[in-house]
Amino acid sequence: MPGALSRRSLLVAGGAALACAALPTPAIASSKWFDGTLEDNGFAYRRTNFSVIKPQWRRQMVKYLSEESPGTVVVDTRNHFLYWIWENNTALRYGVGVGRDGFKWYGRAQIKRKALWPRWVPPPEMLQRQPDLPRLVKGGAPNNPLGPRALYLHHDSGADTGYRLHGTLEPWSIGSDVSSGCIRMFPEDVIDLYQRCPVGTRVSVLEHLGAGSQDG
């Protein structure tokens, strides 16, 4: 449905910024989700075993009808898809994990900062809920929940929303409501998106796209 995005009312995230991630749960991890390691900018990460990932969560080109400009990022939180708008009514679609109940947010933002192998500092709100968390996890550390890349979302006013597009150590979580509001991606996918999105890229996080897209 062309123009569906422009007719949706967007809710702006308010209140204190929420944490994006938590440390992975080792008990859930299984070797079936990983296929060796890959080197990237001096660090290594566990390569996703995409043979066990459902086809809909794999990166793919799809038909996409929208008035958003090419190069815009659109997130459909209900269906767990992130779209990087291409030309000619198409988009590159990624499977994502989104905020769990009580932590979802919707609105428009800009990518104002990008980081290779970002460090992770849990905010006070998360430390209150999980006081045993480390106060800082260095970039590239095996337990850093942001993974190899993070893209930082800011309001048009310049204020940090507190939310990010970032990687994950838990590939099984893609396609689920799992985070504290941030959008998590397979490591390979966030590396790919990072290369496509310059600082200033527009981002729309929506509750539901309806009939605005379909599989190619």
Side-chain angles (χ1 to χ4, degrees):
M1 184 182 300
L5 299 184
S6 62
R7 293 193 297 271
R8 284 198 172 273
S9 85
L10 300 176
L11 301 177
V12 177
L18 299 174
C20 296
L23 294 176
T25 306
I28 300 177
S30 168
S31 60
K32 77 172 187 177
W33 297 100
F34 303 101
D35 181 21
T37 60
L38 290 173
E39 296 289 329
D40 174 82
N41 286 273
F43 296 101
Y45 66 91
R46 301 179 78 181
R47 179 168 53 194
T48 304
N49 180 10
F50 284 101
S51 69
V52 300
I53 301 299
K54 292 181 179 179
Q56 67 261 37
W57 307 134
R58 302 174 194 169
R59 183 167 74 241
Q60 56 195 282
M61 293 295 297
V62 297
K63 294 291 184 182
Y64 184 92
L65 306 178
S66 170
E67 293 181 349
E68 299 286 349
S69 301
T72 302
V73 171
V74 178
V75 182
D76 176 352
T77 58
R78 182 177 299 177
N79 290 314
H80 306 97
F81 292 130
L82 181 151
Y83 298 87
W84 186 77
I85 307 302
W86 203 271
E87 298 177 344
N88 301 318
N89 295 325
T90 60
L92 185 58
R93 191 183 76 186
Y94 307 80
V96 296
V98 302
R100 61 188 184 274
D101 287 345
F103 291 88
K104 291 180 173 63
W105 70 280
Y106 317 111
R108 288 190 178 270
Q110 295 183 50
I111 295 172
K112 284 294 189 179
R113 179 180 164 228
K114 300 166 57 177
L116 293 166
W117 292 102
R119 67 177 188 170
W120 181 59
V121 180
E125 294 87 351
M126 175 171 275
L127 291 173
Q128 288 178 0
R129 297 191 303 270
Q130 300 174 265
D132 294 335
L133 287 175
R135 270 43 183 176
L136 182 149
V137 179
K138 293 182 178 180
N143 65 333
N144 187 314
L146 299 184
R149 303 288 189 275
L151 297 91
Y152 297 78
L153 304 183
H154 289 236
H155 295 297
D156 287 344
S157 66
D160 188 350
T161 66
Y163 300 107
R164 322 285 183 233
L165 312 175
H166 63 75
T168 182
L169 301 175
E170 302 174 337
W172 56 86
S173 69
I174 299 301
S176 302
D177 298 349
V178 289
S179 77
S180 293
C182 288
I183 307 302
R184 60 170 65 177
M185 307 176 71
F186 294 118
E188 295 85 352
D189 284 355
V190 77
I191 289 173
D192 182 84
L193 185 69
Y194 182 99
Q195 295 171 331
R196 299 178 187 277
C197 294
V199 170
T201 295
R202 305 292 304 182
V203 178
S204 290
V205 179
L206 306 178
E207 182 177 6
H208 184 39
L209 290 182
S213 61
Q214 62 186 55
D215 290 347

